[in-house]
Amino acid sequence: MGRRLSGRFIAGMTVSDALAACQHVNGEGIAVSLDSLGESVTVEAEARASAAIYHQLLDAVHQRGLNANVSVKLSQMGMDFDPALAERVVGEIVEHAAAAGSFVRIDMESSAYTEATIAITERLAARYPGRVGAVLQAYLYRTAEDTERLLGQGIRIRLCKGAYKEGPDVAFAAKAEVDANYVSLMKRMVTFSQEGKGVFCGIATHDETIIEELLAFVRSNKLPQSAFEFQMLYGIRRDLQRQLAADGFGVRVYIPFGSEWYPYFMRRLAERPANLLFLLQNFLRK
């Protein structure tokens, strides 16, 4: 079962595996964001080793002419024991990406990291404009304000619903509330991109109802397909990814890889049981 799961939702164990998966997905007209799995390192050597993989990815993507960028987690770069180290290490990755004409997405973790993650993204975006972006989670109450905060600085956003277990003091509990907030925020983002601000955002969802609502919104407001891109996970709704790409929309697939796939799955499933149902529903999809 572990091999079957890893084969469907994880590209493999090595950088070579990830690059091969990237090339295959690119061949279908779909862009990629590469994610080397691993979280919560405890010493600087581990943080540096994690960063080295990203430097290797950036070089390989550039040399092979792949349509891909990278996604990093601050806890993987030392955030839990030395926030200043994490910012330096990620800053070096962003600097490398800027030199290679690429882009770094700083992923969002639990709400305990939200403010620090946004602040680090802001500081790096000031140094490397257009080369670093953030992820915002629609289930958090604060996300509407964070959206305006980042858009106002021209920082690209990836909007997701959120996969961590959060309490009612910081997050909407009901799915209907999360969905409604997501729809409101995505409309704001794709509209803002046409206000002369030049902020290109990623709409990260596999929810067909939400996707159809966005498509109707784009048509009714005569927004160009280039105003945004859909972002989805490797192995999830591959049929929908291909259809959207065939219809002329930008689609980006997040491809995770690495030996840390097992603890990655276990943490996600333990944090939010709904994640298990989501995976099982997609396991047998084509």
Side-chain angles (χ1 to χ4, degrees):
M1 177 60 76
R3 289 196 183 100
R4 291 181 68 195
L5 278 171
S6 62
R8 175 60 186 268
F9 303 116
I10 307 295
M13 301 297 109
T14 68
V15 168
S16 294
D17 292 334
L19 294 171
C22 178
Q23 187 167 6
H24 176 77
V25 172
N26 280 177
E28 297 182 328
I30 297 173
V32 165
S33 192
L34 295 165
D35 179 8
S36 175
L37 293 174
E39 302 173 26
S40 303
V41 302
T42 57
V43 297
E44 181 172 351
E46 292 177 330
R48 293 290 181 184
S50 297
I53 294 173
Y54 283 99
H55 288 292
Q56 184 180 354
L57 285 172
L58 288 168
D59 284 337
V61 165
H62 179 70
Q63 290 163 5
R64 300 186 187 195
L66 298 173
N67 183 2
N69 58 35
V70 298
S71 177
V72 305
K73 285 184 171 62
L74 289 177
S75 69
Q76 190 180 11
M77 303 298 160
M79 189 70 179
D80 289 337
F81 67 92
D82 190 344
L85 170 67
E87 186 166 350
R88 287 196 304 273
V89 171
V90 175
E92 291 165 1
I93 296 173
V94 176
E95 181 179 25
H96 189 165
S102 191
F103 178 82
V104 177
R105 181 78 65 184
I106 300 181
D107 209 350
M108 191 60 74
E109 301 177 71
S110 73
S111 60
Y113 294 86
T114 302
E115 179 57 34
T117 300
I118 291 173
I120 288 175
T121 304
E122 289 172 326
R123 289 192 289 271
L124 292 177
R127 292 166 54 193
Y128 306 102
R131 298 302 177 183
V132 61
V135 177
L136 295 183
Q137 300 162 318
Y139 68 175
L140 296 182
Y141 301 139
R142 62 175 289 166
T143 300
E145 292 184 3
D146 290 336
T147 295
E148 298 303 324
R149 174 179 171 181
L150 293 176
L151 290 178
Q153 298 174 77
I155 296 174
R156 290 162 57 178
I157 299 168
R158 175 183 188 240
L159 179 65
C160 66
K161 289 187 181 180
Y164 293 81
K165 184 177 180 179
E166 300 288 357
D169 55 323
V170 298
F172 296 106
K175 180 182 183 300
E177 293 178 304
V178 177
D179 288 355
N181 197 41
Y182 190 100
V183 168
S184 173
L185 293 170
M186 77 177 180
K187 290 179 178 178
R188 172 60 177 151
M189 290 178 189
V190 300
T191 303
F192 188 90
S193 70
Q194 295 305 298
E195 294 178 357
K197 309 292 184 178
V199 183
F200 179 79
C201 292
I203 307 304
T205 182
H206 307 89
D207 188 322
E208 284 192 80
T209 300
I210 288 178
I211 289 171
E212 286 301 322
E213 184 156 357
L214 179 57
L215 295 181
F217 181 78
V218 167
R219 288 192 295 267
S220 65
N221 288 274
K222 296 182 172 56
L223 299 174
Q225 293 176 324
S226 59
F228 64 95
E229 67 181 11
F230 288 105
Q231 298 187 355
M232 299 185 184
L233 300 174
Y234 185 67
I236 304 289
R237 293 307 310 268
R238 292 178 293 194
D239 57 332
L240 185 56
Q241 295 169 15
R242 292 164 181 155
Q243 184 59 57
L244 288 168
D247 289 342
F249 290 94
V251 180
R252 184 176 301 275
V253 169
Y254 270 63
I255 297 183
F257 71 96
S259 59
E260 291 293 309
W261 71 268
Y262 183 77
Y264 167 80
F265 267 113
M266 291 303 101
R267 276 194 291 271
R268 294 296 83 80
L269 298 183
E271 286 163 348
R272 201 160 180 259
N275 292 339
L276 176 58
L277 178 60
F278 179 73
L279 290 177
L280 292 177
Q281 287 173 335
N282 283 276
F283 188 60
L284 297 177
R285 276 187 181 269
K286 293 184 179 180

